[in-house]
Amino acid sequence: MDFIDLKTQYRRVQDSVNARIRTVLEHGQYILGAETVELENKLAEYVGAKHCIGASSGTDTLLIALMAYGIGQGDEVITSPFTFIATGEMIALAGAKPVYVDIDARTYNLDPKLIEKAITPRTKAIMPVSLYGQCADMDAINAIARKHGIPVIEDAAQSFGATYKGKRSCAVSEVGSTSFFPSKPLGAYGDGGALFTDDDALAKVMREIRVHGQDRRYHHPRLGINGRLDTLQAAVLLAKMEIFPDEVEARIRIGARYSQLINEAFAKETDPARKVVTPYIAPDCTSVYAQYTVEVADRAKVEQGMKARGVPTAVHYPVPLHLQPVFANLGQGVGSFPISESVGNRVISLPMHPYLTEAHQAQVVAALKESVQG
């Protein structure tokens, strides 16, 4: 059993993928070719944003957005400590200080109730993370940001295709940033990412930063990076976009079935140490389940049990950012963000992809029950 099955997906789209790659090989415009523009137009239409800027990765997109706002030395950006390193890393790489705020215990996303007291005169942005495939509480976060006159940059690396109150992830704040890493809900065959905004001026700046700060050939009014999306990756993503809406529906269906099966399997268990907590999806949200992640009391035991039963698992993310050695200078030790720390010790992700069969799901849940209760 594969944790993520990209081979089945490839067999479904291989004719389109191969044809589009062949077209790129024939025209030879490997950087910012026509396919990149076509993809940007289709992604913007799908998300419901005015502008899409394709980029080299979902990490570089965060940096580009921060640079576009002029965020740097002496500034602060509020974000979650329970996320992949790239979120805090890009804030620090831009020269700013990541200011962590603890998460909501149910959604694992930034807790809006804790944001305002973290705002200082140095706060220049809020960067909520739409973790595991579900958007953060963007209305509450946007309202706080508007009150203080600061932008919101959604780190939507895991939530492309999800909805929040009828809007698509990446179109629920001033800037949305996503990733096309191969394992993401919409994945390339290499690194890639995209930025979304309705702001014409901001889009222009981000496009310039993407290509070394250049507004025309050999004219550089600002500092930038080499952040372009390869044409070959754009070609792959165009082929995958043909089936993406169907895959989103499959992810939602499979995620819901997982939760139903797990809750039924543990319904009679009264000992909290022998139960499993399934993902909470807010009533106004959908999740694309970039990971299907549950909480267990004894993760090491469950990991070993699942492995012995031939079921792959993963942990996203065991060490919150404030406890990473690179951020030791912030002086936030164990106990600083108790919910993030507790969740980080308990979460475990199960196999998840749009082609997961009901038989495989049943196998996973049976192995999970045996591993937790055995």
Side-chain angles (χ1 to χ4, degrees), residues 227-310:
R228 302 165 300 202
L229 177 66
D230 292 342
T231 310
L232 283 169
Q233 299 303 339
V236 170
L237 290 164
L238 282 167
K240 289 195 176 189
M241 273 299 292
E242 297 169 11
I243 62 168
F244 185 63
D246 180 57
E247 289 190 334
V248 169
E249 290 183 11
R251 284 179 173 275
I252 293 171
R253 182 176 65 252
I254 290 167
R257 187 166 190 273
Y258 251 146
S259 294
Q260 179 184 351
L261 290 174
I262 293 170
N263 290 331
E264 288 174 354
F266 290 88
K268 296 180 180 179
E269 182 56 68
T270 57
D271 182 357
R274 289 161 56 87
K275 288 183 75 71
V276 172
V277 178
T278 53
Y280 171 80
I281 307 302
D284 50 10
C285 289
T286 63
S287 175
V288 286
Y289 294 99
Q291 290 88 23
Y292 184 89
T293 303
V294 299
E295 285 187 51
V296 296
D298 188 344
R299 185 169 65 206
K301 171 188 170 185
V302 174
E303 284 181 296
Q304 293 169 6
M306 298 292 275
K307 184 177 180 180
R309 290 166 175 83

Side-chain angles (χ1 to χ4, degrees), residues 49-62:
K50 189 172 181 181
H51 301 281
C52 170
I53 300 96
S56 46
S57 73
T59 299
D60 289 338
T61 50
L62 295 176

Side-chain angles (χ1 to χ4, degrees), residues 55 195 212 220 227 233 245 308 328 333 341-342 350 352 358:
L195 289 154
H212 299 286
H220 306 265
Q233 299 303 339
E341 293 167 28
S342 174
L350 307 179
M352 181 67 202
E358 292 188 0

